[in-house]
Amino acid sequence: MGVVKHVVCAMSGGVDSSVTALLLRRRGYHVTGVFMKNWDSLDEKGVCTTERDCEDAYKVCRQLDIPFHQVSYVKEYWHEVFSNLLKEYQKGRTPNPDIVCNKHIKFKHFYQYATDTLGADAMATGHYARTSLEDDDVFHQRHVLPPQTLFRDRFEIRNPVRLFQGADLLKDQTFFLSQVSQDALRHTLFPLASLTKDFVKKMAAEAGFQHVLKKKESMGICFIGERHFEEFILEYLEPRPGNFVSIEDGKVMGEHKGWFTFTLGQRARIGGQRDAWFVVDKDITTNDLFVAPTTNHPALLRDTLRTERFHWIAEEPPSELIRTKMMECHFRFQHQMPLTPCTVTLNMDGTVWIMTAKPLRALTPGQFAVLYKGDECLGSGKILSLGPSEYTLQQGRQRLAASPLTHHSATTSTGQSQPLTQTGTGQSEASTAAASQQESTTTQTATTPQSDNRTQTAATNGQSEPRTT
């Protein structure tokens, strides 16, 4: 008779982690349930949701007759997730704390606690995802240190573990796991990989987990919960009032309390305006938010973006990308958005350019560009800068058609012409486009507050969505 393997299960007090623990128990593992406390405050109704979730997790462990532990990562969460979130908002970006939380808290600190402190052979979570390993293979994996160079030596890991979408594509959570390290992935079990959400709920009901079945799905910021976002973020960031400015004519439409309370594509509720207006760009140097009158305005449509150094899950980078310098695959920057065909170009510093097959609405700096090849999740990189919008391109074509001689003279007088781009700091592309409506005879070029590379363009080289983890 073999030695019973010890698996530590991350318990959240929800239905998915509860059924995960149930499945592990039925498979004969020695299971320990652990609840992570990562945020220390009351919700907007004055209820401490952490204590309630912890109690629900404890009840499940008691029903399953397995040990229960609680561990606090409040300090780590503040320094490695929440502080990062605030800094990103201050830069004019819209961060995704769920991906960052999985990378730093669940699959780093918690993983180390499970294996080093509790001596577990593996850890398990309730994510709807699967890997290329069979469960038994997980217990025979050696530890892999993070790369010390720009790219990991591809011969260091002969059989890297790959991450694949779960059977329930509507609940698939590989998007949120796209920054997880190879080492953590090699030692993680995903018992819900082949199950649908409906079947998981049925199992929970049969097991008597009524107290977790009654809870609604968590949809707020990772470990913080649902909040009135504007009120919540203004508790931590000083108000930066500014104007809503029409991108079409530069007219001031109203006022706002801070650009960080809005994301691209979000409806801007402007007092006195009967029609809907949508945020299309930000200028953090003037505190202006540029708005357009329709939800699919061309100022919201773009097809090019650049990421920070890309995190490749299995191969770093994929051999196809090294061989041909370009790679065809699929892209998304929000959890449940349809996958879009794209072309990826690798830069020498590990960043990538991504060009989508068609313009997408509200590509957003700060969000993560996640790539897929078939049902495999290749990894992700934070979006730092965007190419020009369809509106900017339209304006440029109209100015060229109207006054080609003026354009030629404006270009040659400066010695070079800079394409309109959206980047990370400085004046926004939208402010230039708005100004061009009033001064059409002058060729304008500018950059926006989304990257520290002010003049890089695609030729040379995201609102945090509801959580379902």
Side-chain angles (χ1 to χ4, degrees):
M1 183 176 178
V3 177
V4 176
K5 299 298 183 180
H6 181 199
V7 179
V8 168
C9 180
M11 304 291 292
S12 66
V15 64
D16 295 331
S17 62
S18 299
V19 172
T20 296
L22 171 66
L23 290 169
L24 293 170
R25 190 82 166 85
R26 288 180 177 177
R27 292 175 189 176
Y29 299 126
H30 167 48
V31 184
T32 299
V34 180
F35 178 85
M36 286 174 278
K37 180 180 181 180
N38 300 315
W39 190 254
D40 195 10
S41 73
L42 305 178
D43 66 11
E44 291 169 351
K45 297 179 182 178
V47 178
C48 185
T49 56
T50 299
E51 290 184 6
R52 184 177 59 201
D53 291 339
C54 184
E55 179 64 24
D56 288 339
Y58 171 70
K59 287 180 181 178
V60 170
C61 290
R62 190 172 57 189
Q63 285 178 258
L64 296 175
D65 192 27
I66 62 175
F68 175 80
H69 295 262
Q70 180 180 350
V71 61
S72 174
Y73 294 120
V74 172
K75 181 177 70 174
E76 291 83 355
Y77 185 87
W78 178 270
H79 289 297
E80 299 180 47
V81 180
F82 194 70
S83 293
N84 172 271
L85 175 141
L86 297 179
K87 290 175 183 176
E88 288 291 289
Y89 278 120
Q90 288 175 318
K91 292 177 181 178
R93 301 172 184 158
T94 302
N96 189 316
D98 302 301
I99 291 178
V100 179
C101 179
N102 277 326
K103 176 181 181 177
H104 292 294
I105 306 301
K106 281 187 182 177
F107 289 87
K108 188 177 79 173
H109 293 296
F110 180 77
Y111 163 62
Q112 292 170 351
Y113 173 79
T115 56
D116 298 344
T117 303
L118 296 182
D121 298 297
M123 64 174 270
T125 72
H127 289 96
Y128 290 83
R130 64 186 176 91
T131 71
S132 54
L133 291 176
E134 297 293 334
D135 285 357
D136 288 345
D137 295 333
V138 172
F139 301 108
H140 300 93
Q141 298 299 308
R142 64 181 180 88
H143 288 279
V144 177
L145 297 175
Q148 302 300 313
T149 56
L150 181 61
F151 295 118
R152 185 170 57 227
D153 183 352
R154 61 182 53 254
F155 297 107
E156 179 184 347
I157 306 175
R158 293 187 178 277
N159 296 299
V161 176
R162 300 180 181 277
L163 179 65
F164 296 98
Q165 292 177 298
D168 190 337
L169 294 181
L170 291 177
K171 292 298 297 180
D172 169 62
Q173 291 170 310
T174 52
F175 179 87
F176 298 111
L177 302 175
S178 59
Q179 284 275 313
V180 172
S181 71
Q182 177 71 196
D183 187 51
L185 203 60
R186 295 170 78 89
H187 296 89
T188 302
L189 298 171
F190 297 112
L192 305 187
S194 61
L195 305 181
T196 63
K197 183 73 173 188
D198 288 342
F199 190 75
V200 168
K201 288 182 177 179
K202 182 180 178 181
M203 289 189 68
E206 292 175 349
F209 299 157
Q210 300 300 328
H211 62 291
V212 297
L213 274 172
K214 295 176 183 177
K215 299 168 73 171
K216 67 176 183 178
E217 194 107 356
S218 177
M219 301 295 282
I221 300 174
C222 181
F223 288 112
I224 296 178
E226 295 184 62
R227 306 281 176 143
H228 183 283
F229 180 75
E230 181 176 306
E231 294 177 2
F232 177 72
I233 205 67
L234 286 173
E235 292 179 16
Y236 299 93
L237 297 177
E238 289 292 326
R240 296 285 185 88
N243 294 322
F244 287 113
V245 179
S246 170
I247 194 173
E248 295 189 339
D249 57 15
K251 179 182 177 182
V252 174
M253 308 300 295
E255 297 181 346
H256 61 82
K257 296 180 181 179
W259 71 81
F260 43 77
T261 63
F262 289 89
T263 188
L264 301 189
Q266 181 179 348
R267 180 172 178 175
R269 300 191 180 279
I270 305 173
Q273 297 295 324
R274 295 177 58 186
D275 298 327
W277 289 76
F278 297 86
V279 177
V280 299
D281 209 348
K282 303 177 182 183
D283 191 333
I284 65 174
T285 62
T286 63
N287 294 348
D288 287 338
L289 282 175
F290 292 89
V291 292
T294 57
T295 186
N296 286 311
H297 192 279
L300 275 172
L301 303 176
R302 302 173 190 261
D303 63 5
T304 307
L305 63 92
R306 182 177 67 89
T307 74
E308 65 178 3
R309 177 185 169 186
F310 205 85
H311 171 74
W312 302 100
I313 293 174
E315 294 182 274
E316 192 170 349
S319 54
E320 177 185 348
L321 193 54
I322 294 177
R323 193 169 58 249
T324 65
K325 309 304 179 187
M326 301 179 74
M327 180 177 70
E328 305 291 326
C329 57
H330 285 78
F331 157 87
R332 65 164 48 120
F333 70 99
Q334 291 178 335
H335 173 215
Q336 292 184 325
M337 70 176 286
L339 288 169
T340 301
C342 69
T343 301
V344 180
T345 305
L346 179 66
N347 301 318
M348 292 296 290
D349 59 357
T351 65
V352 301
W353 281 105
I354 298 174
M355 179 171 286
T356 58
K358 61 180 181 180
L360 298 178
R361 182 184 185 275
L363 286 172
T364 306
Q367 292 287 288
F368 281 83
V370 184
L371 298 179
Y372 290 82
K373 197 81 161 169
D375 61 351
E376 180 183 0
C377 177
L378 301 177
S380 66
K382 183 168 66 182
I383 300 173
L384 294 184
S385 59
L386 306 175
S389 70
E390 291 294 296
Y391 183 71
T392 298
L393 295 174
Q394 289 176 9
Q395 296 297 303
R397 286 191 290 266
Q398 290 173 7
R399 290 197 296 272
L400 279 173
S403 54
L405 292 178
T406 302
H407 173 80
H408 176 73
S409 120
T411 300
T412 55
S413 66
T414 60
Q416 62 178 356
S417 175
Q418 292 177 304
L420 282 165
T421 62
Q422 177 167 349
T423 55
T425 55
Q427 182 188 11
S428 78
E429 171 190 285
S431 62
T432 301
S436 71
Q437 298 293 327
Q438 302 168 337
E439 196 174 345
S440 61
T441 59
T442 303
T443 299
Q444 298 284 341
T445 63
T447 56
T448 56
Q450 311 300 345
S451 157
D452 50 15
N453 187 342
R454 296 174 63 92
T455 58
Q456 185 178 32
T457 70
T460 60
N461 235 48
Q463 180 176 11
S464 180
E465 63 186 275
R467 178 171 71 94
T468 56
T469 57

